Amino acid sequence: IISNPIKDIKKKRGFSFTGNLGRPQLVNLLIEAINEYEKKGGVLKFVFAGGGIFSKEILKLSKINSLVTYHGIVSATDADKIVSEYEWALLPIEDEITRYAFPSKISSYVCSGAKILSICSDNTSVAKWIKSKKVGITANPNVDEIVEFFSKIEKNVVDTSFVDSDRKELIKIFQMDTFVKKIENKIF
């Protein structure tokens, strides 16, 4: 839930990730894919903000890989700004987790206007939601496919014509006003 959607910002080409850098976020797989993408001559930037068990790994990656920037733990407002600056937002998540939980960062990703690259199997609730709401695409959780998506995005050969860049109705769902009204209705 965010208080103010961020709109009308010229997006930089590249990827952002904000939130928990924990086990369910497939951080080791993502690191491997980013390193492979760089080895193959990739040029798009990857910007991370957040904490978690793998934050030290992302910090280490930012020191050895020129494509990666790590901001550490930032405020919610700063995280929203970071996501709003980039064309794509990364949403890696372990398939098993999607059976029990739904990533909370989706709301800020949607409201920022970023296209979402989810990294999970096509048959998960997250992949189905991303597709049905027209907010991005999904790459299966293997290095070669992720690197291929990074390269296709860099070359502008990924079909994103179906992505709803307006998202008015979806954004309305994620706004604080809507959340407060729902709580109010439940209480009264």
Side-chain angles (χ1 to χ4, degrees), residues 17 19-22 25-32 34 46-65 68-72 90:
F17 176 98
N20 183 45
L21 292 160
Q25 286 72 39
L26 305 171
V27 176
N28 287 332
L29 176 70
L30 194 53
I31 289 170
E32 190 177 344
I34 291 168
F46 297 83
V47 178
F48 292 83
I53 195 166
F54 290 106
S55 58
K56 288 179 183 168
E57 299 303 317
I58 294 296
L59 175 61
K60 199 182 313 179
L61 179 66
S62 72
K63 293 180 185 301
I64 62 168
N65 187 315
V68 178
T69 302
Y70 177 56
H71 292 282
L90 293 170

Side-chain angles (χ1 to χ4, degrees), residues 58-124:
I58 294 296
L59 175 61
K60 199 182 313 179
L61 179 66
S62 72
K63 293 180 185 301
I64 62 168
N65 187 315
S66 64
L67 301 179
V68 178
T69 302
Y70 177 56
H71 292 282
I73 297 173
V74 299
S75 70
T77 302
D78 288 343
D80 288 343
K81 285 179 187 172
I82 289 167
V83 173
S84 70
E85 289 178 359
Y86 288 86
E87 186 179 357
W88 288 88
L90 293 170
L91 185 66
I93 188 156
E94 218 173 78
D95 287 356
E96 183 64 19
I97 297 298
T98 67
R99 295 181 60 210
Y100 310 104
F102 199 75
S104 59
K105 70 172 81 359
I106 283 182
S107 60
S108 60
Y109 284 5
V110 166
C111 293
S112 75
K115 297 175 189 115
I116 299 172
L117 175 59
S118 61
I119 299 172
C120 54
S121 297
D122 285 332
N123 62 347
T124 62

Side-chain angles (χ1 to χ4, degrees), residues 1-3 172 174-183:
I1 295 168
I2 71 163
S3 51
K172 207 181 295 181
F174 291 126
Q175 287 184 313
M176 186 60 75
D177 298 3
T178 306
F179 178 73
V180 170
K181 282 179 185 170
K182 283 182 180 179
I183 296 290

Side-chain angles (χ1 to χ4, degrees), residues 157-172:
V157 295
V158 171
D159 180 16
T160 57
S161 61
F162 66 91
V163 173
D164 177 9
S165 57
D166 185 26
R167 305 175 183 182
K168 279 183 188 171
E169 292 304 311
L170 201 49
I171 288 172
K172 207 181 295 181

